Amino acid sequence: MPVIDLAGCPVKTGSIYPEPYATMMAGRSSLRLGDAGGLTQFGVNLVTLQPGALSSLRHWHMAEDEFVMVTLGECVLVQDAGETVMRAGDCAAFPAGDPDGHHFLNRSGSVAQFLVVGSKAPREVATYSDVDLRIEIKAGRARFTYKDGTNWAGVRDEP
Amino acid sequence: MPVIDLAGCPVKTGSIYPEPYATMMAGRSSLRLGDAGGLTQFGVNLVTLQPGALSSLRHWHMAEDEFVMVTLGECVLVQDAGETVMRAGDCAAFPAGDPDGHHFLNRSGSVAQFLVVGSKAPREVATYSDVDLRIEIKAGRARFTYKDGTNWAGVRDEP
């Protein structure tokens, strides 16, 4: 049955980020709608942000296109140039390779939700704009590094 | 700027279907949100169905995954097994290669909208479940055929 049972979809919480970044993702959860519907060619997640939560560290993708539609409440999109308030129905696109990092904050007093779609590149690097961190994903395996490519081993002063 | 100006996005109407099928798409329009946002790896359209309109001929994709979220009003999803009413927030997934054709009808008295995401396969065949028609898309060029693969040249009795 192609209609996705949102109520029966496992709620994913937590983060694969190393600390102290994982803890910063408290209040964020998501439903893997694409997986639930048997899709393999792109990812579709419905992300819920409790008041005060953020969607991710601010980042950009080397190889993967990303699309977001806010579906509930209000999210603040943060990029290099500043902030944009987005409300239900507002959409944003982040083409692969554009180094202007983004994330979404819920600064409101109510729950916010957005749908996010991302392609699945065989090799991907996401770079986190505001900290010395990036993630390399290759054949489904993820590795965190500093921005100079060496393995991540805890927060350090910028080299 | 990644936020998409929906009000400034060109409204696409009409259909590439041959007649008499193109005329059946009256009352359907769409915004090419992915294109407007500079995405190339998957397509994202916001489809509006006036009362009585249908989203497409009922079809299935050989090579492309498809995802739909209803964002406004009420749509009736039609498949082999029958009908399912979907309302704003409801989602459905159609994995590539599943031959259970689908489309959406707006049987309500109000405008309905849905977001649809589809991958972009280098070669795609969509087969229309209820008529003797299919479309082959290769390197961006589309060709309509009967289901036996011969070039389409008007509605004919089933062979």
Side-chain angles (χ1 to χ4, degrees), chain A residues 23-74:
Chain A
T23 298
M24 294 167 65
M25 299 303 123
R28 177 194 70 175
S29 63
S30 63
L31 304 182
R32 303 292 175 99
L33 301 186
D35 289 350
L39 303 185
T40 58
Q41 299 177 359
F42 50 83
V44 185
N45 297 331
L46 184 65
V47 178
T48 298
L49 298 181
Q50 298 298 325
L54 52 159
S55 63
S56 64
L57 295 174
R58 196 160 76 88
H59 69 283
W60 62 277
H61 294 282
M62 182 192 72
E64 294 178 347
D65 277 356
E66 186 179 337
F67 176 89
V68 166
M69 173 185 260
V70 176
T71 56
L72 179 72
E74 190 177 292

mmCIF file of all heavy atoms in Angstrom, chain A residues 23-74:
data_model
loop_
_atom_site.group_PDB
_atom_site.id
_atom_site.type_symbol
_atom_site.label_atom_id
_atom_site.label_comp_id
_atom_site.label_asym_id
_atom_site.label_seq_id
_atom_site.Cartn_x
_atom_site.Cartn_y
_atom_site.Cartn_z
ATOM 1 N N THR A 23 24.487 16.310 21.394
ATOM 2 C CA THR A 23 23.602 16.833 22.434
ATOM 3 C C THR A 23 22.857 18.083 21.957
ATOM 4 O O THR A 23 21.734 18.351 22.388
ATOM 5 C CB THR A 23 24.426 17.157 23.692
ATOM 6 O OG1 THR A 23 25.004 15.932 24.157
ATOM 7 C CG2 THR A 23 23.575 17.758 24.796
ATOM 8 N N MET A 24 23.493 18.825 21.052
ATOM 9 C CA MET A 24 22.855 20.043 20.538
ATOM 10 C C MET A 24 21.621 19.734 19.684
ATOM 11 O O MET A 24 20.856 20.636 19.348
ATOM 12 C CB MET A 24 23.867 20.840 19.705
ATOM 13 C CG MET A 24 25.032 21.388 20.520
ATOM 14 S SD MET A 24 26.400 21.996 19.455
ATOM 15 C CE MET A 24 25.622 23.371 18.613
ATOM 16 N N MET A 25 21.442 18.473 19.315
ATOM 17 C CA MET A 25 20.310 18.080 18.457
ATOM 18 C C MET A 25 19.091 17.647 19.273
ATOM 19 O O MET A 25 18.106 17.155 18.705
ATOM 20 C CB MET A 25 20.721 16.957 17.493
ATOM 21 C CG MET A 25 21.847 17.354 16.550
ATOM 22 S SD MET A 25 21.427 18.832 15.555
ATOM 23 C CE MET A 25 22.805 19.903 16.012
ATOM 24 N N ALA A 26 19.144 17.836 20.593
ATOM 25 C CA ALA A 26 17.983 17.499 21.429
ATOM 26 C C ALA A 26 16.755 18.244 20.919
ATOM 27 O O ALA A 26 16.848 19.392 20.489
ATOM 28 C CB ALA A 26 18.264 17.879 22.877
ATOM 29 N N GLY A 27 15.612 17.581 20.938
ATOM 30 C CA GLY A 27 14.368 18.230 20.509
ATOM 31 C C GLY A 27 14.094 18.079 19.026
ATOM 32 O O GLY A 27 13.088 18.577 18.511
ATOM 33 N N ARG A 28 14.988 17.388 18.342
ATOM 34 C CA ARG A 28 14.777 17.094 16.916
ATOM 35 C C ARG A 28 14.424 15.622 16.754
ATOM 36 O O ARG A 28 15.064 14.766 17.376
ATOM 37 C CB ARG A 28 16.066 17.376 16.142
ATOM 38 C CG ARG A 28 15.962 17.032 14.666
ATOM 39 C CD ARG A 28 17.315 16.996 13.991
ATOM 40 N NE ARG A 28 18.131 15.861 14.428
ATOM 41 C CZ ARG A 28 19.323 15.546 13.926
ATOM 42 N NH1 ARG A 28 19.862 16.303 12.991
ATOM 43 N NH2 ARG A 28 19.994 14.498 14.364
ATOM 44 N N SER A 29 13.444 15.320 15.966
ATOM 45 C CA SER A 29 13.150 13.928 15.627
ATOM 46 C C SER A 29 12.693 13.862 14.178
ATOM 47 O O SER A 29 12.381 14.888 13.573
ATOM 48 C CB SER A 29 12.079 13.351 16.553
ATOM 49 O OG SER A 29 10.864 14.057 16.385
ATOM 50 N N SER A 30 12.689 12.651 13.620
ATOM 51 C CA SER A 30 12.259 12.572 12.221
ATOM 52 C C SER A 30 11.628 11.228 11.900
ATOM 53 O O SER A 30 11.882 10.217 12.568
ATOM 54 C CB SER A 30 13.432 12.855 11.273
ATOM 55 O OG SER A 30 14.434 11.892 11.426
ATOM 56 N N LEU A 31 10.795 11.248 10.888
ATOM 57 C CA LEU A 31 10.200 10.036 10.318
ATOM 58 C C LEU A 31 10.841 9.812 8.953
ATOM 59 O O LEU A 31 10.863 10.726 8.120
ATOM 60 C CB LEU A 31 8.685 10.205 10.127
ATOM 61 C CG LEU A 31 7.861 10.576 11.353
ATOM 62 C CD1 LEU A 31 6.373 10.658 10.973
ATOM 63 C CD2 LEU A 31 8.072 9.588 12.480
ATOM 64 N N ARG A 32 11.333 8.600 8.729
ATOM 65 C CA ARG A 32 11.957 8.262 7.445
ATOM 66 C C ARG A 32 10.868 7.807 6.466
ATOM 67 O O ARG A 32 10.636 6.608 6.293
ATOM 68 C CB ARG A 32 13.009 7.162 7.656
ATOM 69 C CG ARG A 32 14.101 7.520 8.665
ATOM 70 C CD ARG A 32 14.955 8.634 8.083
ATOM 71 N NE ARG A 32 15.948 9.122 9.025
ATOM 72 C CZ ARG A 32 17.230 8.748 9.039
ATOM 73 N NH1 ARG A 32 17.667 7.855 8.185
ATOM 74 N NH2 ARG A 32 18.074 9.276 9.908
ATOM 75 N N LEU A 33 10.214 8.768 5.856
ATOM 76 C CA LEU A 33 9.051 8.445 5.031
ATOM 77 C C LEU A 33 9.442 7.692 3.762
ATOM 78 O O LEU A 33 8.727 6.783 3.326
ATOM 79 C CB LEU A 33 8.303 9.722 4.652
ATOM 80 C CG LEU A 33 7.781 10.567 5.808
ATOM 81 C CD1 LEU A 33 6.933 11.710 5.263
ATOM 82 C CD2 LEU A 33 6.982 9.733 6.791
ATOM 83 N N GLY A 34 10.541 8.094 3.146
ATOM 84 C CA GLY A 34 10.973 7.412 1.928
ATOM 85 C C GLY A 34 11.281 5.948 2.191
ATOM 86 O O GLY A 34 10.821 5.058 1.463
ATOM 87 N N ASP A 35 12.036 5.697 3.243
ATOM 88 C CA ASP A 35 12.339 4.310 3.618
ATOM 89 C C ASP A 35 11.047 3.540 3.889
ATOM 90 O O ASP A 35 10.883 2.397 3.447
ATOM 91 C CB ASP A 35 13.215 4.264 4.878
ATOM 92 C CG ASP A 35 14.637 4.752 4.608
ATOM 93 O OD1 ASP A 35 15.006 4.936 3.435
ATOM 94 O OD2 ASP A 35 15.380 4.947 5.590
ATOM 95 N N ALA A 36 10.129 4.174 4.631
ATOM 96 C CA ALA A 36 8.874 3.499 4.991
ATOM 97 C C ALA A 36 8.087 3.132 3.744
ATOM 98 O O ALA A 36 7.377 2.123 3.722
ATOM 99 C CB ALA A 36 8.042 4.388 5.908
ATOM 100 N N GLY A 37 8.212 3.947 2.698
ATOM 101 C CA GLY A 37 7.476 3.700 1.460
ATOM 102 C C GLY A 37 8.235 2.869 0.452
ATOM 103 O O GLY A 37 7.761 2.682 -0.666
ATOM 104 N N GLY A 38 9.422 2.383 0.821
ATOM 105 C CA GLY A 38 10.173 1.505 -0.078
ATOM 106 C C GLY A 38 10.966 2.237 -1.142
ATOM 107 O O GLY A 38 11.404 1.627 -2.122
ATOM 108 N N LEU A 39 11.188 3.539 -0.968
ATOM 109 C CA LEU A 39 11.979 4.287 -1.951
ATOM 110 C C LEU A 39 13.465 4.119 -1.665
ATOM 111 O O LEU A 39 13.885 4.072 -0.510
ATOM 112 C CB LEU A 39 11.603 5.772 -1.921
ATOM 113 C CG LEU A 39 10.133 6.089 -2.161
ATOM 114 C CD1 LEU A 39 9.916 7.595 -2.230
ATOM 115 C CD2 LEU A 39 9.608 5.421 -3.425
ATOM 116 N N THR A 40 14.249 4.057 -2.731
ATOM 117 C CA THR A 40 15.688 3.866 -2.573
ATOM 118 C C THR A 40 16.504 4.936 -3.297
ATOM 119 O O THR A 40 17.705 5.048 -3.075
ATOM 120 C CB THR A 40 16.129 2.498 -3.144
ATOM 121 O OG1 THR A 40 15.756 2.447 -4.528
ATOM 122 C CG2 THR A 40 15.457 1.347 -2.412
ATOM 123 N N GLN A 41 15.859 5.721 -4.173
ATOM 124 C CA GLN A 41 16.621 6.613 -5.054
ATOM 125 C C GLN A 41 16.862 7.996 -4.454
ATOM 126 O O GLN A 41 17.759 8.715 -4.866
ATOM 127 C CB GLN A 41 15.911 6.715 -6.401
ATOM 128 C CG GLN A 41 15.818 5.349 -7.086
ATOM 129 C CD GLN A 41 15.051 5.388 -8.382
ATOM 130 O OE1 GLN A 41 14.553 6.432 -8.785
ATOM 131 N NE2 GLN A 41 14.962 4.255 -9.048
ATOM 132 N N PHE A 42 16.002 8.397 -3.521
ATOM 133 C CA PHE A 42 16.222 9.643 -2.779
ATOM 134 C C PHE A 42 15.624 9.459 -1.388
ATOM 135 O O PHE A 42 14.799 8.564 -1.166
ATOM 136 C CB PHE A 42 15.614 10.860 -3.498
ATOM 137 C CG PHE A 42 14.180 10.705 -3.922
ATOM 138 C CD1 PHE A 42 13.144 10.935 -3.030
ATOM 139 C CD2 PHE A 42 13.853 10.322 -5.219
ATOM 140 C CE1 PHE A 42 11.820 10.795 -3.413
ATOM 141 C CE2 PHE A 42 12.523 10.170 -5.616
ATOM 142 C CZ PHE A 42 11.512 10.410 -4.705
ATOM 143 N N GLY A 43 16.071 10.279 -0.459
ATOM 144 C CA GLY A 43 15.578 10.205 0.905
ATOM 145 C C GLY A 43 14.494 11.243 1.136
ATOM 146 O O GLY A 43 14.572 12.352 0.592
ATOM 147 N N VAL A 44 13.481 10.885 1.920
ATOM 148 C CA VAL A 44 12.424 11.823 2.312
ATOM 149 C C VAL A 44 12.195 11.670 3.808
ATOM 150 O O VAL A 44 11.841 10.573 4.264
ATOM 151 C CB VAL A 44 11.089 11.543 1.589
ATOM 152 C CG1 VAL A 44 10.065 12.623 1.940
ATOM 153 C CG2 VAL A 44 11.267 11.440 0.087
ATOM 154 N N ASN A 45 12.430 12.731 4.544
ATOM 155 C CA ASN A 45 12.211 12.702 5.995
ATOM 156 C C ASN A 45 11.254 13.810 6.396
ATOM 157 O O ASN A 45 11.304 14.909 5.844
ATOM 158 C CB ASN A 45 13.525 12.908 6.758
ATOM 159 C CG ASN A 45 14.534 11.799 6.508
ATOM 160 O OD1 ASN A 45 14.172 10.660 6.244
ATOM 161 N ND2 ASN A 45 15.805 12.150 6.573
ATOM 162 N N LEU A 46 10.410 13.516 7.375
ATOM 163 C CA LEU A 46 9.573 14.548 7.987
ATOM 164 C C LEU A 46 10.196 14.860 9.344
ATOM 165 O O LEU A 46 10.217 14.001 10.236
ATOM 166 C CB LEU A 46 8.131 14.061 8.145
ATOM 167 C CG LEU A 46 7.154 15.095 8.693
ATOM 168 C CD1 LEU A 46 6.975 16.269 7.718
ATOM 169 C CD2 LEU A 46 5.789 14.447 8.973
ATOM 170 N N VAL A 47 10.735 16.066 9.467
ATOM 171 C CA VAL A 47 11.509 16.430 10.657
ATOM 172 C C VAL A 47 10.645 17.281 11.588
ATOM 173 O O VAL A 47 9.985 18.233 11.125
ATOM 174 C CB VAL A 47 12.777 17.213 10.259
ATOM 175 C CG1 VAL A 47 13.559 17.648 11.500
ATOM 176 C CG2 VAL A 47 13.653 16.365 9.348
ATOM 177 N N THR A 48 10.630 16.932 12.855
ATOM 178 C CA THR A 48 9.911 17.705 13.867
ATOM 179 C C THR A 48 10.921 18.422 14.751
ATOM 180 O O THR A 48 11.867 17.796 15.249
ATOM 181 C CB THR A 48 9.040 16.775 14.731
ATOM 182 O OG1 THR A 48 8.073 16.136 13.890
ATOM 183 C CG2 THR A 48 8.316 17.552 15.824
ATOM 184 N N LEU A 49 10.728 19.717 14.915
ATOM 185 C CA LEU A 49 11.591 20.509 15.809
ATOM 186 C C LEU A 49 10.746 21.036 16.962
ATOM 187 O O LEU A 49 9.818 21.834 16.750
ATOM 188 C CB LEU A 49 12.207 21.693 15.054
ATOM 189 C CG LEU A 49 13.130 21.391 13.885
ATOM 190 C CD1 LEU A 49 13.655 22.709 13.284
ATOM 191 C CD2 LEU A 49 14.294 20.499 14.303
ATOM 192 N N GLN A 50 11.066 20.596 18.165
ATOM 193 C CA GLN A 50 10.429 21.175 19.345
ATOM 194 C C GLN A 50 10.920 22.619 19.498
ATOM 195 O O GLN A 50 11.953 22.995 18.929
ATOM 196 C CB GLN A 50 10.799 20.348 20.593
ATOM 197 C CG GLN A 50 10.327 18.899 20.539
ATOM 198 C CD GLN A 50 8.813 18.752 20.465
ATOM 199 O OE1 GLN A 50 8.081 19.539 21.057
ATOM 200 N NE2 GLN A 50 8.356 17.758 19.710
ATOM 201 N N PRO A 51 10.183 23.441 20.273
ATOM 202 C CA PRO A 51 10.657 24.813 20.496
ATOM 203 C C PRO A 51 12.111 24.812 20.965
ATOM 204 O O PRO A 51 12.477 24.050 21.868
ATOM 205 C CB PRO A 51 9.704 25.323 21.581
ATOM 206 C CG PRO A 51 8.428 24.567 21.338
ATOM 207 C CD PRO A 51 8.870 23.187 20.919
ATOM 208 N N GLY A 52 12.947 25.599 20.338
ATOM 209 C CA GLY A 52 14.353 25.689 20.699
ATOM 210 C C GLY A 52 15.258 24.735 19.947
ATOM 211 O O GLY A 52 16.487 24.883 19.997
ATOM 212 N N ALA A 53 14.695 23.784 19.235
ATOM 213 C CA ALA A 53 15.535 22.766 18.573
ATOM 214 C C ALA A 53 16.095 23.278 17.249
ATOM 215 O O ALA A 53 15.564 24.202 16.633
ATOM 216 C CB ALA A 53 14.727 21.496 18.336
ATOM 217 N N LEU A 54 17.187 22.646 16.819
ATOM 218 C CA LEU A 54 17.737 22.935 15.501
ATOM 219 C C LEU A 54 17.774 21.672 14.663
ATOM 220 O O LEU A 54 17.833 20.562 15.186
ATOM 221 C CB LEU A 54 19.104 23.609 15.565
ATOM 222 C CG LEU A 54 20.243 23.044 16.379
ATOM 223 C CD1 LEU A 54 21.561 23.612 15.849
ATOM 224 C CD2 LEU A 54 20.099 23.455 17.837
ATOM 225 N N SER A 55 17.764 21.852 13.340
ATOM 226 C CA SER A 55 17.641 20.722 12.417
ATOM 227 C C SER A 55 18.932 19.942 12.281
ATOM 228 O O SER A 55 18.923 18.747 11.984
ATOM 229 C CB SER A 55 17.213 21.233 11.048
ATOM 230 O OG SER A 55 18.203 22.101 10.510
ATOM 231 N N SER A 56 20.059 20.628 12.438
ATOM 232 C CA SER A 56 21.386 20.037 12.202
ATOM 233 C C SER A 56 22.397 21.132 12.517
ATOM 234 O O SER A 56 22.023 22.284 12.730
ATOM 235 C CB SER A 56 21.544 19.618 10.729
ATOM 236 O OG SER A 56 21.480 20.770 9.905
ATOM 237 N N LEU A 57 23.665 20.785 12.529
ATOM 238 C CA LEU A 57 24.678 21.826 12.428
ATOM 239 C C LEU A 57 24.546 22.468 11.046
ATOM 240 O O LEU A 57 24.135 21.819 10.082
ATOM 241 C CB LEU A 57 26.087 21.227 12.582
ATOM 242 C CG LEU A 57 26.410 20.604 13.939
ATOM 243 C CD1 LEU A 57 27.781 19.913 13.884
ATOM 244 C CD2 LEU A 57 26.384 21.623 15.070
ATOM 245 N N ARG A 58 24.916 23.731 10.959
ATOM 246 C CA ARG A 58 24.838 24.394 9.657
ATOM 247 C C ARG A 58 25.845 23.723 8.717
ATOM 248 O O ARG A 58 27.003 23.520 9.070
ATOM 249 C CB ARG A 58 25.155 25.889 9.832
ATOM 250 C CG ARG A 58 24.729 26.728 8.649
ATOM 251 C CD ARG A 58 24.608 28.197 9.030
ATOM 252 N NE ARG A 58 25.885 28.867 9.163
ATOM 253 C CZ ARG A 58 26.528 29.465 8.145
ATOM 254 N NH1 ARG A 58 26.019 29.458 6.923
ATOM 255 N NH2 ARG A 58 27.670 30.078 8.356
ATOM 256 N N HIS A 59 25.397 23.359 7.512
ATOM 257 C CA HIS A 59 26.202 22.516 6.622
ATOM 258 C C HIS A 59 25.842 22.749 5.166
ATOM 259 O O HIS A 59 24.803 23.311 4.843
ATOM 260 C CB HIS A 59 25.933 21.040 6.950
ATOM 261 C CG HIS A 59 24.551 20.615 6.555
ATOM 262 N ND1 HIS A 59 23.433 20.944 7.292
ATOM 263 C CD2 HIS A 59 24.091 19.942 5.456
ATOM 264 C CE1 HIS A 59 22.352 20.487 6.696
ATOM 265 N NE2 HIS A 59 22.709 19.875 5.577
ATOM 266 N N TRP A 60 26.709 22.249 4.307
ATOM 267 C CA TRP A 60 26.382 22.179 2.872
ATOM 268 C C TRP A 60 26.898 20.859 2.312
ATOM 269 O O TRP A 60 27.827 20.249 2.845
ATOM 270 C CB TRP A 60 26.952 23.378 2.110
ATOM 271 C CG TRP A 60 28.445 23.515 2.127
ATOM 272 C CD1 TRP A 60 29.196 24.085 3.111
ATOM 273 C CD2 TRP A 60 29.370 23.079 1.122
ATOM 274 N NE1 TRP A 60 30.522 24.030 2.788
ATOM 275 C CE2 TRP A 60 30.658 23.428 1.568
ATOM 276 C CE3 TRP A 60 29.230 22.443 -0.112
ATOM 277 C CZ2 TRP A 60 31.813 23.139 0.822
ATOM 278 C CZ3 TRP A 60 30.376 22.151 -0.853
ATOM 279 C CH2 TRP A 60 31.648 22.506 -0.386
ATOM 280 N N HIS A 61 26.231 20.432 1.213
ATOM 281 C CA HIS A 61 26.527 19.128 0.611
ATOM 282 C C HIS A 61 27.350 19.293 -0.662
ATOM 283 O O HIS A 61 27.005 20.089 -1.533
ATOM 284 C CB HIS A 61 25.233 18.400 0.243
ATOM 285 C CG HIS A 61 24.397 18.022 1.423
ATOM 286 N ND1 HIS A 61 24.685 16.936 2.212
ATOM 287 C CD2 HIS A 61 23.292 18.591 1.975
ATOM 288 C CE1 HIS A 61 23.792 16.846 3.174
ATOM 289 N NE2 HIS A 61 22.929 17.833 3.072
ATOM 290 N N MET A 62 28.393 18.504 -0.763
ATOM 291 C CA MET A 62 29.208 18.531 -1.976
ATOM 292 C C MET A 62 28.453 17.931 -3.169
ATOM 293 O O MET A 62 28.496 18.470 -4.271
ATOM 294 C CB MET A 62 30.490 17.733 -1.751
ATOM 295 C CG MET A 62 31.450 17.741 -2.937
ATOM 296 S SD MET A 62 32.765 16.502 -2.741
ATOM 297 C CE MET A 62 31.850 14.962 -2.997
ATOM 298 N N ALA A 63 27.780 16.812 -2.940
ATOM 299 C CA ALA A 63 27.275 16.023 -4.079
ATOM 300 C C ALA A 63 25.757 15.883 -4.128
ATOM 301 O O ALA A 63 25.230 15.411 -5.127
ATOM 302 C CB ALA A 63 27.912 14.626 -4.046
ATOM 303 N N GLU A 64 25.071 16.263 -3.088
ATOM 304 C CA GLU A 64 23.630 15.959 -3.015
ATOM 305 C C GLU A 64 22.769 17.218 -3.029
ATOM 306 O O GLU A 64 22.976 18.136 -2.240
ATOM 307 C CB GLU A 64 23.332 15.150 -1.747
ATOM 308 C CG GLU A 64 23.974 13.772 -1.760
ATOM 309 C CD GLU A 64 23.725 12.966 -0.494
ATOM 310 O OE1 GLU A 64 23.252 13.545 0.511
ATOM 311 O OE2 GLU A 64 24.000 11.753 -0.513
ATOM 312 N N ASP A 65 21.780 17.228 -3.911
ATOM 313 C CA ASP A 65 20.732 18.251 -3.881
ATOM 314 C C ASP A 65 19.843 18.037 -2.649
ATOM 315 O O ASP A 65 19.627 16.900 -2.216
ATOM 316 C CB ASP A 65 19.840 18.133 -5.119
ATOM 317 C CG ASP A 65 20.405 18.817 -6.357
ATOM 318 O OD1 ASP A 65 21.464 19.462 -6.264
ATOM 319 O OD2 ASP A 65 19.769 18.707 -7.418
ATOM 320 N N GLU A 66 19.301 19.129 -2.139
ATOM 321 C CA GLU A 66 18.396 19.050 -0.974
ATOM 322 C C GLU A 66 17.234 20.020 -1.186
ATOM 323 O O GLU A 66 17.421 21.128 -1.700
ATOM 324 C CB GLU A 66 19.182 19.418 0.297
ATOM 325 C CG GLU A 66 18.412 19.248 1.586
ATOM 326 C CD GLU A 66 19.253 19.609 2.830
ATOM 327 O OE1 GLU A 66 20.502 19.569 2.766
ATOM 328 O OE2 GLU A 66 18.630 19.947 3.853
ATOM 329 N N PHE A 67 16.048 19.569 -0.790
ATOM 330 C CA PHE A 67 14.834 20.394 -0.913
ATOM 331 C C PHE A 67 14.068 20.344 0.399
ATOM 332 O O PHE A 67 13.953 19.271 1.005
ATOM 333 C CB PHE A 67 13.946 19.855 -2.046
ATOM 334 C CG PHE A 67 12.638 20.588 -2.177
ATOM 335 C CD1 PHE A 67 12.524 21.718 -2.982
ATOM 336 C CD2 PHE A 67 11.512 20.163 -1.479
ATOM 337 C CE1 PHE A 67 11.317 22.400 -3.091
ATOM 338 C CE2 PHE A 67 10.300 20.845 -1.585
ATOM 339 C CZ PHE A 67 10.210 21.957 -2.390
ATOM 340 N N VAL A 68 13.531 21.470 0.824
ATOM 341 C CA VAL A 68 12.789 21.545 2.088
ATOM 342 C C VAL A 68 11.468 22.273 1.866
ATOM 343 O O VAL A 68 11.427 23.313 1.189
ATOM 344 C CB VAL A 68 13.623 22.299 3.155
ATOM 345 C CG1 VAL A 68 12.766 22.693 4.358
ATOM 346 C CG2 VAL A 68 14.797 21.432 3.616
ATOM 347 N N MET A 69 10.404 21.708 2.432
ATOM 348 C CA MET A 69 9.127 22.433 2.535
ATOM 349 C C MET A 69 8.707 22.440 4.001
ATOM 350 O O MET A 69 8.580 21.371 4.618
ATOM 351 C CB MET A 69 8.025 21.777 1.705
ATOM 352 C CG MET A 69 6.645 22.431 1.932
ATOM 353 S SD MET A 69 5.270 21.594 1.075
ATOM 354 C CE MET A 69 5.075 22.675 -0.344
ATOM 355 N N VAL A 70 8.495 23.631 4.556
ATOM 356 C CA VAL A 70 7.971 23.717 5.925
ATOM 357 C C VAL A 70 6.502 23.299 5.883
ATOM 358 O O VAL A 70 5.750 23.746 5.005
ATOM 359 C CB VAL A 70 8.127 25.141 6.491
ATOM 360 C CG1 VAL A 70 7.495 25.248 7.874
ATOM 361 C CG2 VAL A 70 9.605 25.520 6.548
ATOM 362 N N THR A 71 6.105 22.406 6.782
ATOM 363 C CA THR A 71 4.734 21.877 6.754
ATOM 364 C C THR A 71 3.928 22.266 7.990
ATOM 365 O O THR A 71 2.712 22.102 8.001
ATOM 366 C CB THR A 71 4.748 20.334 6.628
ATOM 367 O OG1 THR A 71 5.527 19.793 7.697
ATOM 368 C CG2 THR A 71 5.351 19.906 5.303
ATOM 369 N N LEU A 72 4.605 22.771 9.023
ATOM 370 C CA LEU A 72 3.897 23.140 10.260
ATOM 371 C C LEU A 72 4.723 24.187 11.000
ATOM 372 O O LEU A 72 5.933 24.015 11.161
ATOM 373 C CB LEU A 72 3.721 21.896 11.149
ATOM 374 C CG LEU A 72 3.034 22.105 12.495
ATOM 375 C CD1 LEU A 72 1.533 22.360 12.299
ATOM 376 C CD2 LEU A 72 3.229 20.872 13.403
ATOM 377 N N GLY A 73 4.054 25.244 11.441
ATOM 378 C CA GLY A 73 4.718 26.222 12.298
ATOM 379 C C GLY A 73 5.711 27.073 11.545
ATOM 380 O O GLY A 73 5.549 27.351 10.353
ATOM 381 N N GLU A 74 6.781 27.418 12.234
ATOM 382 C CA GLU A 74 7.710 28.429 11.731
ATOM 383 C C GLU A 74 9.150 27.987 12.000
ATOM 384 O O GLU A 74 9.481 27.593 13.113
ATOM 385 C CB GLU A 74 7.404 29.721 12.498
ATOM 386 C CG GLU A 74 8.066 30.940 11.980
ATOM 387 C CD GLU A 74 7.640 32.179 12.766
ATOM 388 O OE1 GLU A 74 6.471 32.579 12.671
ATOM 389 O OE2 GLU A 74 8.493 32.720 13.486
#
